[in-house]
Amino acid sequence: MTEVSPVLDRLDADLDESLERLFALLRIQSISTDPAYAAECLKAADWLVADLRSIGFEASVRSTPGHPMVVAHHEGEGPHVLFYGHYDVQPVDPLDLWEDDPFAPSLKEVAPDRQIIVGRGSSDDKGQLMTFVEACRAYKSVHGKLPCKISILFEGEEESGSPSLKPFLKEHAEELKADFALVCDTAMWDRETPAICVGLRGLVGEEVTVRGADRDLHSGFFGGAAANPIRILARVLSDMHDDDGAVTIPGFYEGVEETPEDILKSWEALGQDARSMLAPIGLSELAGEKGRSALELVWARPTAEFNGIYGGYTGQGFKTVIAAQASAKVSFRLVHKQDPDKIRAAFRAFVRERIPADCTVEFTPHGGSPAIQLSYDSPLVTTAQAALTEEWNKPAVPIAMGGSIPIVGDFQNLLGMDSLLVGFGLSDDRIHSPNEKYELSSFHKGQRSWARILDALAKSTTAE
Amino acid sequence: MTEVSPVLDRLDADLDESLERLFALLRIQSISTDPAYAAECLKAADWLVADLRSIGFEASVRSTPGHPMVVAHHEGEGPHVLFYGHYDVQPVDPLDLWEDDPFAPSLKEVAPDRQIIVGRGSSDDKGQLMTFVEACRAYKSVHGKLPCKISILFEGEEESGSPSLKPFLKEHAEELKADFALVCDTAMWDRETPAICVGLRGLVGEEVTVRGADRDLHSGFFGGAAANPIRILARVLSDMHDDDGAVTIPGFYEGVEETPEDILKSWEALGQDARSMLAPIGLSELAGEKGRSALELVWARPTAEFNGIYGGYTGQGFKTVIAAQASAKVSFRLVHKQDPDKIRAAFRAFVRERIPADCTVEFTPHGGSPAIQLSYDSPLVTTAQAALTEEWNKPAVPIAMGGSIPIVGDFQNLLGMDSLLVGFGLSDDRIHSPNEKYELSSFHKGQRSWARILDALAKSTTAE
């Protein structure tokens, strides 16, 4: 068995060089959503292939109908892991809000003992993915081998909807399938507290349109007699929650599990409450199911949300019209074992029941994905948790996330792999915004964290 | 005493020329609710002044803080009447549902012996007001004088809440006060049956905006925890009606009278029921208070209607956003002695009660007017009834109207005048909707009707 401590020493010693490498990658303007930057995306992929080859990976650029993937493999004794990251970045506009050129990365001291790496992609996701690459480089250079069998997949379209990802995973399923995936695209709880994301809410989107009369009506002539689609839609939406904030659609909570008491307690210990969560956005009261904490509501409870509504006259002034139709965009965040298809069907039945006989309703589906939930006590989670706790000197929290990360669902559905989500971003990293940054401590201790995690995974019984 | 029959002959002979004049007025895009069309509103006022002067009226454009009024006077021997109409029109969106340019009026033959005038404002109210102007023109040209002393008031803000009307009436009360008003902004019972409107619902308009967080939120991060203004608004609107279609706002029915049995019976005799009222617009079920007839619902019962709603993401596709705010345009049709101010206050209290402590609500008033109710057997009504019956060869019906014409209340309250409401629109004129039209028979026999009414009023005892 190899030792991890000399690897950690090597990472400490090579920090400046690893920063130089990161800066070289950050200088490449790999904005995936804008076709004008296609050559830059290819350049980033080429750069990564060259860097991975320098470590000893068998690496190649793989073309897709969009921007290319980078795929790399390296033999190892431990379990086979697939590491995922993305080399593409968000556009940089509005450019005038950046303090520096977004593609001229630099290190800035913002407080004594606190430096940040500034530049587009520093946190999302180039800085994060390089923590893993640097851990591999140091391990290889110290021990001449890697602790696990490691495959790597770097995507170049994450910021533009990942159109090529699913077909690519399907086509290369055999090559990419590993024991589990490691994904570095998430955040820590705070600057000192590492986190593992074990739960991701799923999503069902629906657009619903209620139609009444075959034209817009004058409310003077028909008001009081003719169906008003806005009134019908408002009643439908209103009926979807009871007075305690629970969703009333029959069967909605099927598959929703209660979160274990000890996990709820660990979340409580994080000190986040309604006030601290909502004050920064100008609110103070929890709007979800009564009797649940703020974190439980966004991490472990399903929701019905109304994301948009429109009907009738919406311009300046007033128009006494009864609209012929009204529409709403409705989405459901799913948890645990809720079935997106069942939820969609139950929602539609719920709406149809409330449509008068002389009106009609139409539904347009907008995506559907189940929630992802790792067991809180799976060896994968507990092994990584121990490694992170050791590195950061603070217990690593198993958290959940309110949003969805489609790649995790794809790994599960297409490759049958669980994903371990460990990242070192912070909620104030300004990803997708001007002046994106990554903490130097995230970059440095992130490298050390991966070295420890790979080492621990190799030594654990999760190996087979 | 002058004779009316040569005036009627003149109207018949000049029909084509009167159509040309109407088309010229219809081409002016006098949409009052959209500030972008202010110059067009002024153009319509100027056009009317020029036309009235050509008849011999002393006419002028009178500026207001909003769109201008047109005021005109002409001497005459009979009673002094004030004729009212409005030259402004409703917006034309959705434009793609118009078969022709809304402001390129044309005459279309839709059946043998049936032609319609198509264009925005053809029925509401340019076509209607020109029936009166043409009657005056013919009378003057045949007899060299008018049968009554006639004042005219054309408003340019009727479709946008008439903000300048009350101050204008107050300021010019002495100039505008007449024995009674003639208003041409109502409909016939059907294409052959003339009607006099003795009841008009009042109107209270309100725009309500619910605000939650101080920015749009990602529903993944905050869904289930943060207030959703669309959800709050939907609940408020939904709560405004009970399951029997009655309005639940406390005190809402104060001042509402039951319609006399004999009037209800006379309405029943018109043969209008839910099916015949709603089938032409693709509906079949009465949506108002249960246990009331279709005509009673629109003529003698108050309503709460939702005329527009908007919030969150309303574009193509989907965005998992929790909007910072959501708005609705709400209006109340009032009857009998309901007090607009009390209704507005009760509505606002009703909404405020339902807004969570960390959210806010803002109200924008959009007009308010009480209902009007004339006695069924007043001499003004019976004289006009006889004249109309003669022109149309069918008894003129005293009806009520679901829409409101605030001017009638203002004439009553500010100038102490009753209003005679005679109009030649039809319920299928698509006013406020795409493809608005006016029957050529309405336009032609409307002119003849006014000639007869003016003549009868001059000869009747209502003169003093």
Side-chain angles (χ1 to χ4, degrees):
Chain A
M1 280 292 176
T2 53
E3 288 299 318
V4 75
S5 57
V7 178
L8 301 179
D9 293 342
R10 173 62 57 93
L11 287 169
D12 294 348
D14 285 357
L15 180 60
D16 285 350
E17 284 164 42
S18 73
L19 266 175
E20 278 315 309
R21 284 186 286 269
L22 174 58
F23 283 10
L25 180 58
L26 291 178
R27 282 185 202 106
I28 304 173
Q29 307 184 20
S30 48
I31 300 168
S32 60
T33 202
D34 185 342
Y37 293 88
E40 289 287 296
C41 289
L42 178 58
K43 195 170 157 190
D46 283 337
W47 187 95
L48 284 163
V49 164
D51 193 53
L52 290 169
R53 283 179 181 161
S54 76
I55 298 171
F57 278 87
E58 185 195 315
S60 56
V61 168
R62 305 287 184 88
S63 63
T64 75
H67 303 299
M69 304 279 179
V70 170
V71 175
H73 301 288
H74 197 293
E75 281 308 315
E77 286 160 11
H80 182 193
V81 305
L82 173 69
F83 180 84
Y84 167 87
H86 63 90
Y87 66 77
D88 63 321
V89 298
Q90 281 273 321
V92 295
D93 51 286
L95 197 56
D96 57 341
L97 295 187
W98 285 81
E99 286 169 19
D100 305 287
D101 179 344
F103 295 108
S106 63
L107 199 63
K108 292 194 176 182
E109 181 154 330
V110 288
D113 290 331
R114 187 180 157 214
Q115 295 182 81
I116 59 174
I117 302 159
V118 179
R120 173 55 89 226
S122 56
S123 175
D124 182 20
D125 185 45
K126 290 171 174 173
Q128 300 244 60
L129 71 84
M130 285 303 289
T131 60
F132 186 85
V133 173
E134 295 300 340
C136 292
R137 189 190 327 273
Y139 213 108
K140 180 76 181 285
S141 104
V142 169
H143 294 299
K145 61 180 181 176
L146 292 181
C148 303
K149 178 179 176 184
I150 296 177
S151 295
I152 286 179
L153 173 65
F154 291 143
E155 185 191 2
E157 303 180 325
E158 201 273 348
E159 303 292 6
S160 53
S162 298
S164 309
L165 187 63
K166 272 190 197 183
F168 190 85
L169 290 182
K170 278 181 197 163
E171 198 183 336
H172 303 278
E174 206 172 331
E175 179 184 359
L176 296 172
K177 167 118 182 65
D179 296 320
F180 46 83
L182 304 176
V183 176
C184 192
D185 199 14
T186 52
M188 299 172 57
W189 171 252
D190 60 27
R191 198 172 301 134
E192 285 88 35
T193 317
I196 300 175
C197 182
V198 298
L200 283 173
R201 290 198 286 192
L203 185 72
V204 166
E206 283 275 292
E207 184 154 355
V208 53
T209 297
V210 176
R211 294 200 171 85
D214 58 18
R215 72 200 71 171
D216 285 356
L217 305 173
H218 187 296
S219 80
F221 293 163
F222 290 102
N228 183 328
I230 298 176
R231 177 173 149 199
I232 296 163
L233 183 63
R235 173 61 60 96
V236 165
L237 299 186
S238 176
D239 281 357
M240 282 172 59
H241 293 88
D242 67 18
D243 289 343
D244 290 330
V247 176
T248 58
I249 296 171
F252 183 74
Y253 288 98
E254 208 175 280
V256 177
E257 293 160 2
E258 285 300 326
T259 303
E261 268 307 312
D262 59 325
I263 298 295
L264 287 176
K265 281 208 176 107
S266 76
W267 291 350
E268 214 173 295
L270 293 172
Q272 177 83 293
D273 61 8
R275 189 153 291 273
S276 63
M277 180 189 282
L278 298 177
I281 54 168
L283 293 174
S284 59
E285 318 240 312
L286 291 176
E289 297 166 273
K290 287 207 167 49
R292 311 274 179 181
S293 75
L295 286 180
E296 188 185 2
L297 284 174
V298 296
W299 285 354
R301 301 299 300 176
T303 69
E305 289 290 352
F306 312 135
N307 307 110
I309 191 165
Y310 55 105
Y313 184 65
T314 59
Q316 283 287 312
F318 212 86
K319 194 170 165 184
T320 51
V321 69
I322 298 178
Q325 62 180 66
S327 300
K329 295 181 195 266
V330 176
S331 64
F332 302 92
R333 295 277 171 186
L334 310 187
V335 299
H336 312 133
K337 302 194 170 68
Q338 279 180 300
D339 179 334
D341 296 334
K342 278 190 187 172
I343 297 286
R344 195 187 301 283
F347 165 69
R348 293 182 175 189
F350 182 91
V351 174
R352 284 202 180 95
E353 260 174 31
R354 285 161 176 79
I355 304 298
D358 59 349
C359 298
T360 59
V361 62
E362 190 183 303
F363 300 93
T364 308
H366 284 286
S369 59
I372 298 287
Q373 188 76 39
L374 279 189
S375 165
Y376 290 98
D377 54 8
S378 79
L380 182 58
V381 171
T382 54
T383 302
Q385 210 173 349
L388 285 165
T389 300
E390 205 161 348
E391 171 61 28
W392 293 82
N393 259 319
K394 244 189 138 172
V397 213
I399 65 170
M401 253 182 68
S404 42
I405 303 184
I407 183 75
V408 179
D410 294 336
F411 284 160
Q412 191 143 81
N413 301 330
L414 302 176
L415 305 184
M417 281 192 297
D418 279 343
S419 296
L420 182 73
L421 300 169
V422 173
F424 308 96
L426 288 173
S427 59
D428 67 354
D429 276 353
R430 296 184 289 271
I431 67 171
H432 296 204
S433 296
N435 305 309
E436 178 176 351
K437 61 90 176 162
Y438 197 45
E439 300 286 324
L440 180 60
S441 61
S442 290
F443 187 57
H444 183 201
K445 290 168 82 66
Q447 300 171 10
R448 293 171 50 100
S449 297
W450 282 121
R452 288 184 191 273
I453 290 171
L454 289 173
D455 185 68
L457 288 173
K459 289 167 179 163
S460 80
T461 53
T462 60
E464 62 285 320
Chain B
M1 280 289 178
T2 53
E3 289 299 318
V4 74
S5 60
V7 179
L8 301 180
D9 293 342
R10 174 61 58 91
L11 287 169
D12 294 348
D14 285 356
L15 181 59
D16 284 351
E17 284 162 41
S18 73
L19 266 175
E20 278 314 309
R21 285 186 285 268
L22 174 59
F23 283 10
L25 180 57
L26 291 177
R27 283 184 201 107
I28 304 174
Q29 307 185 19
S30 47
I31 300 168
S32 60
T33 202
D34 186 340
Y37 292 87
E40 289 286 298
C41 290
L42 177 58
K43 195 170 156 190
D46 284 336
W47 188 94
L48 284 163
V49 164
D51 194 52
L52 290 169
R53 283 180 181 160
S54 77
I55 298 171
F57 278 87
E58 184 195 316
S60 56
V61 168
R62 306 289 184 88
S63 63
T64 74
H67 303 299
M69 305 280 178
V70 170
V71 176
H73 301 288
H74 197 293
E75 281 309 313
E77 286 160 12
H80 182 195
V81 305
L82 173 68
F83 180 84
Y84 167 88
H86 64 90
Y87 66 77
D88 64 321
V89 299
Q90 282 274 322
V92 295
D93 54 283
L95 195 57
D96 57 340
L97 295 187
W98 286 81
E99 285 169 19
D100 304 285
D101 179 341
F103 295 107
S106 64
L107 198 64
K108 292 194 176 181
E109 182 155 332
V110 288
D113 288 330
R114 189 182 155 212
Q115 293 182 81
I116 59 173
I117 301 159
V118 179
R120 172 57 89 228
S122 56
S123 176
D124 183 18
D125 184 46
K126 291 171 174 173
Q128 300 245 59
L129 71 84
M130 286 304 290
T131 59
F132 186 85
V133 173
E134 295 300 340
C136 292
R137 189 188 327 271
Y139 213 108
K140 180 77 181 285
S141 107
V142 168
H143 295 298
K145 61 181 181 177
L146 293 181
C148 303
K149 177 178 176 186
I150 296 177
S151 295
I152 287 179
L153 173 65
F154 292 142
E155 184 192 2
E157 301 180 328
E158 201 270 350
E159 303 292 7
S160 54
S162 299
S164 309
L165 187 65
K166 275 189 195 181
F168 190 84
L169 290 181
K170 279 181 196 159
E171 197 184 335
H172 303 277
E174 207 173 330
E175 180 184 358
L176 296 172
K177 166 118 181 66
D179 296 319
F180 47 82
L182 304 176
V183 176
C184 192
D185 200 14
T186 52
M188 299 173 56
W189 170 249
D190 60 28
R191 198 172 301 135
E192 285 89 34
T193 317
I196 299 176
C197 182
V198 297
L200 278 175
R201 291 198 288 192
L203 183 71
V204 166
E206 284 273 292
E207 184 153 355
V208 53
T209 298
V210 177
R211 294 200 170 84
D214 58 16
R215 72 202 71 174
D216 284 355
L217 305 174
H218 187 297
S219 80
F221 295 162
F222 288 102
N228 183 328
I230 298 175
R231 176 174 149 200
I232 296 163
L233 183 63
R235 173 62 59 96
V236 165
L237 299 186
S238 175
D239 281 357
M240 281 172 59
H241 293 87
D242 67 17
D243 289 344
D244 291 331
V247 176
T248 57
I249 296 172
F252 183 75
Y253 288 97
E254 209 174 279
V256 178
E257 293 161 3
E258 287 298 328
T259 302
E261 270 305 314
D262 60 325
I263 299 295
L264 287 178
K265 280 205 176 114
S266 76
W267 292 348
E268 214 173 295
L270 292 171
Q272 178 81 296
D273 60 9
R275 188 152 291 275
S276 63
M277 179 189 282
L278 299 177
I281 53 169
L283 293 173
S284 59
E285 318 239 313
L286 290 177
E289 297 166 275
K290 287 204 168 50
R292 311 273 180 182
S293 76
L295 286 180
E296 187 184 3
L297 283 174
V298 296
W299 285 353
R301 299 301 299 176
T303 68
E305 288 290 351
F306 312 135
N307 308 110
I309 191 165
Y310 54 106
Y313 183 67
T314 59
Q316 282 288 312
F318 213 86
K319 195 169 164 186
T320 51
V321 69
I322 298 179
Q325 62 180 64
S327 299
K329 296 181 196 265
V330 176
S331 63
F332 302 92
R333 296 279 170 185
L334 310 187
V335 299
H336 313 133
K337 302 194 169 68
Q338 278 181 302
D339 179 334
D341 297 335
K342 279 191 186 171
I343 297 288
R344 193 187 301 283
F347 165 68
R348 292 181 176 190
F350 181 91
V351 175
R352 284 202 180 95
E353 260 175 31
R354 285 161 176 79
I355 304 298
D358 59 348
C359 298
T360 59
V361 62
E362 190 183 303
F363 300 94
T364 308
H366 284 285
S369 61
I372 294 293
Q373 193 76 36
L374 267 194
S375 160
Y376 286 93
D377 54 7
S378 79
L380 184 59
V381 170
T382 54
T383 301
Q385 212 173 346
L388 286 167
T389 301
E390 205 162 346
E391 170 62 27
W392 294 83
N393 259 321
K394 243 190 140 170
V397 213
I399 63 170
M401 238 184 83
S404 50
I405 305 184
I407 185 72
V408 178
D410 295 334
F411 285 160
Q412 191 143 82
N413 301 330
L414 302 175
L415 305 184
M417 282 191 298
D418 277 344
S419 297
L420 181 72
L421 300 169
V422 173
F424 308 97
L426 289 173
S427 60
D428 67 355
D429 277 353
R430 295 184 289 268
I431 68 171
H432 296 206
S433 296
N435 305 310
E436 180 177 350
K437 62 91 178 161
Y438 197 45
E439 300 286 325
L440 180 60
S441 61
S442 291
F443 187 56
H444 183 203
K445 289 168 80 67
Q447 300 171 10
R448 292 171 50 102
S449 296
W450 282 121
R452 287 184 192 272
I453 290 171
L454 287 173
D455 186 67
L457 288 173
K459 289 168 181 165
S460 82
T461 52
T462 58
E464 59 286 316

